[in-house]
Amino acid sequence: MSENSRRRRTIARHGQQRTPGAVGQLLKFLAIGLAVVLVSGFGVGAYILYDFSSTVSANAVDLEGQEQLPPDIGEYKEGFNLVLTGVDTCEEKYKDLFGDRCTGADSEGTLNDVNLLVHVSQEPRRITVVSFPRDLMVPIPECTDPEGEVHSGMSKQPLNVAYTDAGLNCVAKTISALTGQEIQFAASVTFGGVIEITNAIGGVEVCLASPIDDVYTGLDMEAGTHYLQGLQALQFLRTRHGVGDGSDLGRIGNQQQYMSSLARALISGETLGNVPVMLKLANIGLNNLETSTSLADPMKIVQIALAVKSVPFEDIVFLQYPTVGDSDDPNKVVPNEQAASVMWDAIAANAQLQITHQNTSNDGVVVQEAAPPVDGATPDPTVVQLPDTIKGNSAAQQTCSNGNVRE
């Protein structure tokens, strides 16, 4: 089977195109990763055991080449990695909201349009979330799909065709090959639960440094602080033309603002303390989740919850994988291997990461101020300054959307 015949043809979404991109998945899988995971450490293990076993285990997939994992999270001496990917499956209930993505020429296939590698270190616990651009051109390795069919490798393709090629296993295998990181856990989610999750948690606070009026997503917001729920949250995560330079790289920064705010709210206890809300989140999330078999275990979820629930905000860092323009296609990017090597070395050393990149008008957000430190937290004397080619922020920083009003 040729490279082109088994993947969906897409327009170049890194550049400023007129067709709206697929819905941002960050709310969906971050709510699963930081809410459904955490809630199981707060007295609802029996609920998780019942519902998780019936809904998630049936959809679990094997990760190729994975050896038997230790039964306890504490035995992962170098920490562990979780790949979270958002796929643009059109669900019947929501497809009318997404226009051409679900009804037009761009409606075929399923792409992994949002890709995160979440690294949780050994003590002292730190969480580093690396976002990979969907138009990052990389080799796709030989992968086995859920039906057991082997798909040959491809030398250079956008990262977001890996799921189309061979499913969740192929996304994890591709990211592992790119980064050199061993992937212990993986999960993929669709965008169908975005509205329900935002309503269930009562909204997520975001900040706009300037207005957004995006005709492509229908998002119209004034500058200032907003609590997003339902369709508006969906529009915020989708908007690309409305922030920065209108590229997917700018959108990643905007989505990371949302993730930072959500992480602060969940870990501070403002949401975790509300058991009814957590149960509703768990029910919504678990019914829209595909996992690796290594994650299809409620006790593993409890262990992960206990591992991350007390991480200080300054040690929760969101990074964009460093890239440079692709000389073969101005709408694509390729890895900046030198900067990436520095990043992975710092993560392996379990250093406290310091962002040196100074945001410009091209970026999706501007940095406003640091959030108050967590009580009892002490600064780490070992700090690594990342190259200024690596964008991102910590959960201790307040960022605001760098809005653009586009006609």
Side-chain angles (χ1 to χ4, degrees):
M1 185 178 293
S2 69
E3 292 186 5
N4 289 331
S5 64
R6 72 165 184 266
R7 66 183 182 89
R8 167 180 158 197
R9 289 185 178 274
T10 62
I11 61 169
R13 293 181 177 175
H14 171 65
Q16 297 185 39
Q17 304 290 338
R18 294 190 59 83
T19 302
V23 176
Q25 313 297 324
L26 276 301
L27 170 61
K28 185 69 174 289
F29 56 70
L30 195 67
I32 292 171
L34 289 179
V36 175
V37 161
L38 290 173
V39 69
S40 33
F42 282 79
V44 293
Y47 171 85
I48 296 296
L49 177 62
Y50 173 78
D51 202 43
F52 193 100
S53 297
S54 62
T55 60
V56 178
S57 297
N59 297 321
V61 298
D62 292 329
L63 299 183
E64 279 185 86
Q66 187 173 81
E67 298 179 358
Q68 183 70 31
L69 297 176
D72 189 277
I73 289 293
E75 297 181 39
Y76 293 81
K77 300 305 181 184
E78 297 180 356
F80 57 89
N81 293 308
L82 167 65
V83 164
L84 296 173
T85 184
V87 295
D88 63 357
T89 304
C90 284
E91 297 158 296
E92 186 68 27
K93 183 177 179 180
Y94 309 104
K95 67 179 184 179
D96 291 343
L97 299 175
F98 308 133
D100 287 347
R101 164 60 199 95
C102 293
T103 59
D106 198 32
S107 63
E108 296 180 3
T110 298
L111 301 173
N112 49 297
D113 268 346
V114 176
N115 302 278
L116 303 180
L117 188 152
V118 181
H119 176 77
V120 180
S121 73
Q122 191 51 274
E123 300 293 344
R125 291 291 188 191
R126 307 185 199 277
I127 302 172
T128 308
V129 182
V130 181
S131 296
F132 298 84
R134 62 186 182 185
D135 292 323
L136 179 64
M137 301 298 288
V138 295
I140 306 293
E142 180 183 282
C143 297
T144 303
D145 67 23
E147 286 72 42
E149 180 181 352
V150 176
H151 296 250
S152 60
M154 297 179 281
S155 61
K156 186 180 182 183
Q157 291 292 327
L159 174 60
N160 72 340
V161 306
Y163 192 92
T164 305
D165 193 49
L168 176 61
N169 167 58
C170 200
V171 178
K173 192 172 182 180
T174 300
I175 291 178
S176 180
L178 170 66
T179 65
Q181 300 289 307
E182 181 180 354
I183 308 300
Q184 286 81 19
F185 310 107
S188 68
V189 294
T190 66
F191 50 61
V194 171
I195 292 175
E196 286 82 353
I197 289 177
T198 51
N199 289 339
I201 63 180
V204 173
E205 181 181 284
V206 297
C207 168
L208 271 65
S210 50
I212 295 176
D213 185 5
D214 181 5
V215 298
Y216 298 102
T217 63
L219 183 64
D220 185 0
M221 298 173 64
E222 297 296 327
T225 300
H226 301 262
Y227 284 86
L228 301 181
Q229 289 184 278
L231 180 59
Q232 191 177 44
L234 187 68
Q235 294 168 328
F236 182 83
L237 293 171
R238 287 188 69 192
T239 188
R240 171 167 61 91
H241 296 278
V243 293
D245 61 359
S247 73
D248 187 52
L249 301 183
R251 171 162 50 189
I252 287 176
N254 196 52
Q255 292 171 336
Q256 288 179 335
Q257 179 206 170
Y258 186 95
M259 289 194 290
S260 294
S261 180
L262 179 58
R264 289 193 296 268
L266 292 174
I267 292 179
S268 70
E270 296 173 10
T271 301
L272 291 176
N274 190 326
V275 174
V277 169
M278 288 293 96
L279 290 173
K280 187 173 183 179
L281 280 172
N283 185 55
I284 293 170
L286 291 172
N287 281 284
N288 292 274
L289 180 67
E290 175 191 23
T291 75
S292 59
T293 51
S294 57
L295 194 60
D297 173 5
M299 292 309 298
K300 192 69 68 179
I301 298 295
V302 172
Q303 291 178 14
I304 294 175
L306 296 175
V308 304
K309 69 183 181 67
S310 300
V311 176
F313 293 155
E314 59 266 29
D315 286 331
I316 304 172
V317 179
F318 300 91
L319 303 175
Q320 287 194 43
Y321 183 84
T323 63
V324 295
D326 185 356
S327 59
D328 296 328
D329 186 341
N331 291 312
K332 305 294 184 182
V333 293
V334 295
N336 180 337
E337 295 180 356
Q338 182 176 4
S341 178
V342 175
M343 178 180 71
W344 295 124
D345 287 347
I347 291 172
N350 200 17
Q352 190 171 72
L353 306 179
Q354 181 176 332
I355 310 295
T356 64
H357 174 78
Q358 298 294 314
N359 287 13
T360 70
S361 60
N362 289 330
D363 293 306
V365 294
V366 295
V367 178
Q368 296 293 313
E369 60 186 21
V374 177
D375 291 342
T378 56
D380 192 313
T382 304
V383 176
V384 171
Q385 292 187 335
L386 296 175
D388 63 6
T389 51
I390 299 178
K391 303 176 183 180
N393 61 274
S394 78
Q397 293 175 297
Q398 174 64 60
T399 59
C400 295
S401 299
N402 183 21
N404 270 330
V405 176
R406 296 178 181 273
E407 300 299 329

